[in-house]
Amino acid sequence: MMISQRNGTTRTCNRWMMMAMMAMMAMGIAMNGLPSVGGELFTALADMEELLETEAVLIANLDNYVQAQEEKLLQLRRKVQEYRREHTEAARDVSAYLSNPVNAFLLTKRLTTDWRYVENLMTYEVGKEFLENVTSYRSVLKFPSDEDLNGAAVALMRLQDTYNLDTASVARGMLDGVQYSTELSAGDCFELGRQSYLNGDYYHTVLWMREAMDRLTHEVNRTAMKEDVLEYLAFSTFKQGNIQTALSMTEELLELVPDHERAVSNKAYYVKELEKEALQKILRGDDGSEEVPVDTSTKIHKGEASPHVYDKTERKLYEQLCRGEQEPPIELRSQLVCRYTTNRSPFLRLAPLKLEEAYRQPDIVIYHDVMSDREIELIKHYARPRFRRATVQNYKTGELEFANYRISKSAWLKDTEHEVIRTVSQRVEDMTGLTMATAEELQVVNYGIGGHYEPHFDFARREERNAFKSLGTGNRIATVLFYMSDVTQGGATVFPSLNLALRPRKGTAAFWHNLHASGNGDYATRHAACPVLTGTKWVSNKWIHERGQEFRRPCGLEPDHPEDLF
């Protein structure tokens, strides 16, 4: 009887496991068909789409686990009711009840084989099989890593800073005045603060721990979290130089937990530091001396080789352009025109391109309707399986490496892979008048959470001697950037020195020369990809090189830039 009942319980669990597997199959997820991923999902939204599939499988597994638990409890409730009914009847007249041999047998049975079954049912771990499911899923489904969690948190901070987003508004799910999602809980805000703390970012730690504290006032039974929030908040406030406030928070923490070891130690330290400050102020008052102000601004130094070091002025302008707060002067904008162009191409005489001037000197233009939806989808289809985190070239060594100022994933597609890719390359040649024989492959890029690429040059400067050396095709003479998606908010391409921002529009392409005709770099083409606030951003680009352009873009008889005189 006991073995039969126990197996019955196991069959119930197996039934729910089969339902979970069927649910997975119904969602089109083959257990041996998906690759395992070890991180960096936050760098491309295309990868994060698969996390929803992972979550769907986990929800189905959890739902089946809950149902199995409920069935187990239902069986136990039935036993309780059965035993209570028999026990109540026996209690009315114990002698009469036990004088019946059938009742005596049933009581003995209930306390032997039946109770062993109940004990086995009580101790049976319904969740074991479902936990094993989760373990097996990790080898075939995409799961985010701790790096992804940290990257997603950092992305939110980046968006918060770039677009001047209020912490409380973001916590309410509102981005730049638009309500997108549900509110964050105190625990969510705490985790954002904790991730900032792990990065040594005490400024954002304070912002998000304060928001967590505010939200705790509306949530019940969260005393334990309040202790953690106060501890992080106090230390981060101290690291920002506000010792008195850090001491007050620590004292508040000690009221909640008087024997908190770190808080006791920190309080003593804060008191000692405040005493030192008071003494220093007295000494400065006696001798009349003052503290020498420290210049903490970040400036680019003359001769600095890194193309990714920029001063606070450029940073401020870059963020203003991302927010749409700057634009070229009206005198320049009033001269810009839209027109049809053939670029002396025989094919374009039959189908001229729509050209919009975005800037003059340097000439930056937008071509409209130069990539169809079908072409875009095919290029994305070919790129997805090859996505790797985007790299940058180390200006000293020439080696490719990851960098936190470029958050995206990219793939490279050859012209020989599909007719559409060859067609796009030919179209670029028609658009630019430059040969594609020495151009780089088509790079396809998808930006991740808050994906961006901070101000940079596409060309290699004189001191970057190792850049593009392996290609043997010279410097990057020009850039063509295709926009393959609309972006709901953010994601502009900006040129800080020109006060110019190009907003992504699906099917358009931006084109500019990176080099003067003389071959010297045009520093005005320094540009950046603003963080994507909402939506997804897909782009592809062709980097065109110098070799083979000698007769297509020859040098002039006169220097075309002051640098060419030296």
Side-chain angles (χ1 to χ4, degrees), residues 75-87:
Q75 292 187 50
L76 289 172
R77 286 194 184 96
R78 287 171 180 164
K79 283 296 178 183
V80 168
Q81 293 171 359
E82 176 187 336
Y83 294 164
R84 180 173 288 126
R85 183 174 58 253
E86 289 294 324
H87 186 79

Side-chain angles (χ1 to χ4, degrees), residues 41 43-51 142 380 384 387 409 446-448 536-538:
L41 293 174
T43 59
L45 288 183
D47 280 339
M48 294 204 67
E49 290 173 4
E50 294 187 33
L51 294 187
K142 286 189 175 181
K380 288 163 65 173
R384 282 178 189 269
F387 268 150
K409 282 192 176 179
N446 179 227
Y447 288 85
T536 182
K537 182 180 178 182
W538 285 82

Side-chain angles (χ1 to χ4, degrees), residues 216-317:
L216 280 174
T217 61
H218 306 293
E219 299 181 11
V220 296
N221 299 325
R222 304 305 294 269
T223 303
M225 179 177 286
K226 187 175 182 180
E227 298 168 12
D228 292 335
V229 171
L230 279 171
E231 184 176 5
Y232 278 102
L233 195 52
F235 185 75
S236 299
T237 302
F238 161 71
K239 294 294 287 185
Q240 287 190 299
N242 193 339
I243 304 175
Q244 183 61 61
T245 303
L247 175 60
S248 299
M249 292 175 176
T250 304
E251 289 173 340
E252 185 179 351
L253 173 56
L254 288 170
E255 289 179 7
L256 293 174
V257 189
D259 58 348
H260 195 290
E261 186 176 348
R262 285 187 300 274
V264 171
S265 175
N266 287 348
K267 179 182 177 180
Y269 179 79
Y270 297 154
V271 169
K272 188 175 180 179
E273 289 298 303
L274 286 172
E275 290 173 350
K276 283 183 182 179
E277 278 191 359
L279 181 60
Q280 288 173 357
K281 287 180 180 178
I282 293 173
L283 291 175
R284 284 201 300 272
D286 287 343
D287 62 13
S289 64
E290 295 180 357
E291 288 184 337
V292 179
V294 178
D295 183 8
T296 58
S297 62
T298 303
K299 296 182 180 295
I300 187 167
H301 299 286
K302 290 184 178 180
E304 171 61 61
S306 173
H308 303 291
V309 175
Y310 53 103
D311 61 22
K312 283 189 173 181
T313 301
E314 184 183 34
R315 177 78 191 190
K316 180 180 179 181
L317 185 55

